[in-house]
Amino acid sequence: MSKVQTVLDSNIIELLKGETIVNLITINSETKRPELTVVSWVLATEDGKQIKIAVGHKGSSINNIQADPFVTLGIIGPESCYSVAGQASVSDIHTGTMKYRVITVDVEEVEDVMFYGGKLTVLPKYEKTYDPQLAKKLDDEVYQLLSSKE
């Protein structure tokens, strides 16, 4: 993907069906400086036009998006790094095992931003360091929420 696209390609959509580390960049509502948050509860729509992200209901990104809806997502893989720019909206609070909000990003631009001559050969991996049963319960709950058509 060498030129700017307006939707996610199928490889990125597939990558964003699992727990993937994604960088969410918003503009801090107070300082007006870029703010980076790392998220992993992420799901792209099948048409590649939206990305849904679940976050805790008090996350700083919520206030930032409500003040300025323009966001950039940094996606690592497949084989490259991508910048996804768009406008985001924030849902009401969803209550489950914990309280969540869903950030929905309407994709406007997708650009391959890997340096010339570089190619990723391994995707980043992470490990959850809390109760595995609670992690599974939260993951199941969140992905059901992200998959809903609301």
Side-chain angles (χ1 to χ4, degrees):
M1 183 182 308
S2 57
K3 62 181 182 161
V4 175
Q5 303 289 321
T6 57
V7 296
L8 303 170
D9 75 20
S10 60
N11 292 323
I12 298 173
I13 293 168
E14 192 62 32
L15 176 72
L16 297 180
K17 285 185 178 178
E19 292 181 55
T20 303
I21 295 172
V22 172
N23 295 309
L24 169 62
I25 302 164
T26 59
I27 299 300
N28 183 287
S29 60
E30 295 175 10
T31 66
K32 306 302 180 205
R33 299 179 74 148
E35 183 174 299
L36 174 69
T37 304
V38 178
V39 295
S40 65
W41 284 327
V42 181
L43 185 67
T45 57
E46 288 296 327
D47 62 7
K49 294 180 180 180
Q50 289 185 328
I51 297 173
K52 293 184 177 187
I53 303 163
V55 296
H57 75 290
K58 291 183 181 179
S60 62
S61 55
I62 301 298
N63 291 335
N64 295 347
I65 291 167
Q66 289 173 332
D68 183 342
F70 293 99
V71 301
T72 299
L73 302 173
I75 299 173
I76 301 170
E79 296 187 353
S80 196
C81 294
Y82 302 90
S83 173
V84 178
Q87 290 196 53
S89 59
V90 179
S91 75
D92 291 333
I93 295 172
H94 298 275
T95 302
T97 302
M98 60 181 266
K99 293 180 180 179
Y100 315 92
R101 287 192 173 203
V102 175
I103 297 169
T104 300
V105 178
D106 292 322
V107 175
E108 294 175 351
E109 292 184 354
V110 181
E111 184 175 9
D112 184 329
V113 294
M114 189 72 176
F115 56 84
Y116 177 77
K119 176 182 174 181
L120 286 178
T121 57
V122 178
L123 293 176
K125 297 261 184 213
Y126 67 93
E127 183 177 304
K128 293 179 183 167
T129 57
Y130 58 97
D131 180 339
Q133 289 177 328
L134 177 58
K136 179 173 180 0
K137 181 178 180 181
L138 289 170
D139 291 345
D140 291 347
E141 197 171 273
V142 165
Y143 280 103
Q144 182 177 5
L145 175 62
L146 293 178
S147 297
S148 71
K149 298 291 181 193
E150 97 171 37

